[in-house]
Amino acid sequence: MDEQAGLPNLHFVLVHGVCHGAWCWYKIRCLMEKSGHKVTCLDLKSAGIDQSNPNTILTFDEYNAPPLTRFLSNLPDNEKVILVGHGAGGLSLTDAIHRFARKIRMAIYVAANMLKHGSDQDIKDGDPDVSEYGEVADLEYGMGLDQPPTSIIIKEEFQKRLLYHMSPKEDTILASMLLRPGPVRALKGARFEGGKDADSVPRIYIKTLHDQMLKPMKQEQMIKRWQPCQVLVLESDHSPFFSTPSLLLDLISKGAAASF
């Protein structure tokens, strides 16, 4: 039992955002395990220690399926997990609740893309706008310069400003050493449909009020378009797993309590 939140021991599955990996959850995993919970942190394809080339991953299924879809497929029918996704990891959560609603107790979106279908309007609402900073990302064109880019990474000089401006220096340095290009073409192609039980999965959205990457206005647009059952707010940058891990865990626990 999690004495602080009054929760039974739960199984949390933590899904990272683009360019990150399972490593970014190290503080949250430690806090959760200290509270007695089971925690699974996955590397999506080409992220973290997965050595796949992001320029060869052209569809969302290729990016998402090997780690998360396989994990949920193999999960016993009598076990339910709580999914927690950050940033573009929200796309993986939405895909999962369309496919595996009966195995998911709750989906918690942390400064994440929460798009019900991936329609053009969904994408417009959820696409980060950092144009005021100029060219903030390095793009690679693995299929040729006449084709859309295949991978993306935030330039190192913009990483702290956009992702970690309230985070400890040791974490921003760690991230600068571990961030890897993400398969942007695959992410842009994410679409979700056909999950008749998708709306049966409770969703929580955690807004990051000082986010310079996915600005609060963008988060609010997604919330209004596909309303979750609860919206919680956090005084943090885009990466509360670094900047405010204890407060983030408190909100995750508060959200999880609503599933009982």
Side-chain angles (χ1 to χ4, degrees), residues 17 31-32 40 48 73 79 81 92 94 115 119 138 162 183 211 232:
L31 291 170
M32 285 181 167
T40 299
S73 295
E79 184 176 352
V81 298
S92 298
T94 302
L115 314 176
S119 65
D138 288 323
L162 294 176
D211 200 319
L232 305 172

Side-chain angles (χ1 to χ4, degrees), residues 39 84 91 94 109-110 127 142 151 230 254:
V39 185
V84 181
L91 302 175
T94 302
Y109 294 75
V110 181
D127 200 18
S151 70
Q230 193 173 6
K254 181 179 179 180

Side-chain angles (χ1 to χ4, degrees), residues 67-235:
L68 185 57
T69 303
R70 184 183 301 144
F71 172 83
L72 291 170
S73 295
N74 293 334
L75 196 69
D77 289 336
N78 62 348
E79 184 176 352
K80 284 192 171 187
V81 298
I82 294 179
L83 299 181
V84 181
H86 174 254
L91 302 175
S92 298
L93 264 60
T94 302
D95 184 69
I97 66 177
H98 275 272
R99 294 171 181 251
F100 300 99
R102 295 180 183 179
K103 293 186 175 184
I104 300 168
R105 181 180 295 278
M106 173 174 281
I108 300 177
Y109 294 75
V110 181
N113 298 103
M114 186 174 66
L115 314 176
K116 185 173 184 178
H117 299 296
S119 65
D120 290 345
Q121 186 60 49
D122 281 349
I123 293 169
K124 182 179 179 182
D125 288 344
D127 200 18
D129 180 8
V130 291
S131 55
E132 73 228 58
Y133 298 107
E135 297 295 327
V136 303
D138 288 323
L139 300 171
E140 290 190 49
Y141 294 81
M143 303 298 290
L145 294 176
D146 60 336
Q147 297 292 317
T150 48
S151 70
I152 188 170
I153 189 168
I154 300 294
K155 294 177 180 178
E156 188 168 351
E157 61 265 31
F158 290 103
Q159 289 171 9
K160 182 173 178 61
R161 186 185 308 179
L162 294 176
L163 304 175
Y164 318 117
H165 71 279
M166 296 173 68
S167 299
K169 186 174 180 62
E170 57 265 33
D171 289 322
T172 64
I173 290 175
L174 175 70
S176 72
M177 297 167 68
L178 295 178
L179 288 176
R180 296 177 56 198
V184 67
R185 184 161 174 176
L187 293 167
K188 292 283 189 185
R191 299 291 184 272
F192 318 108
E193 58 185 348
K196 63 181 186 332
D197 297 325
D199 281 322
S200 69
V201 177
R203 287 174 293 107
I204 303 288
Y205 198 96
I206 298 178
K207 289 177 64 176
T208 42
L209 296 183
H210 304 289
D211 200 319
Q212 298 299 307
M213 187 69 191
L214 190 61
K215 294 184 176 66
M217 180 184 72
K218 284 283 186 180
Q219 298 179 52
E220 192 60 37
Q221 287 174 342
M222 291 185 288
I223 289 167
K224 288 180 178 178
R225 191 165 175 81
W226 191 25
Q227 292 188 352
C229 59
Q230 193 173 6
V231 177
L232 305 172
V233 297
L234 194 56
E235 299 275 352

Side-chain angles (χ1 to χ4, degrees), residues 52-70:
S52 303
N53 181 351
N55 295 299
T56 65
I57 302 168
L58 305 181
T59 69
F60 187 71
D61 278 347
E62 288 178 79
Y63 175 61
N64 199 52
L68 185 57
T69 303
R70 184 183 301 144

